[in-house]
Amino acid sequence: MKLHRITNGIEASLVLLCAAVADAAAGGLGPTRLAVMAIAGVTWAMVVAHVASILSSSRLR
């Protein structure tokens, strides 16, 4: 599963559009808040993974 794709512009826009539709149906902002937190969590996990990958690279030694 390519979870990192959710941080791309088009995919994130589609996720947030679905969350906005769910907001309209539910009458609140809960789905949008959840979607934004999920995208932010995936983004920060990717940052940590990329830094770990760079620091463990054999090219740095």
Side-chain angles (χ1 to χ4, degrees), residues 15-16 18-38:
V15 168
L16 292 174
C18 292
V21 170
D23 282 344
L29 292 176
T32 295
R33 289 180 178 153
L34 181 64
V36 169
M37 287 188 294

Side-chain angles (χ1 to χ4, degrees), residues 1 4-6 12 19 25 27 36-37 42 47 51 58 60:
M1 183 171 162
H4 69 280
R5 290 188 60 177
I6 198 171
V36 169
M37 287 188 294
V42 169
V47 168
V51 169
S58 63
L60 290 177

Side-chain angles (χ1 to χ4, degrees), residues 7-20:
T7 61
N8 292 340
I10 299 296
E11 287 84 354
S13 296
L14 292 174
V15 168
L16 292 174
L17 175 64
C18 292

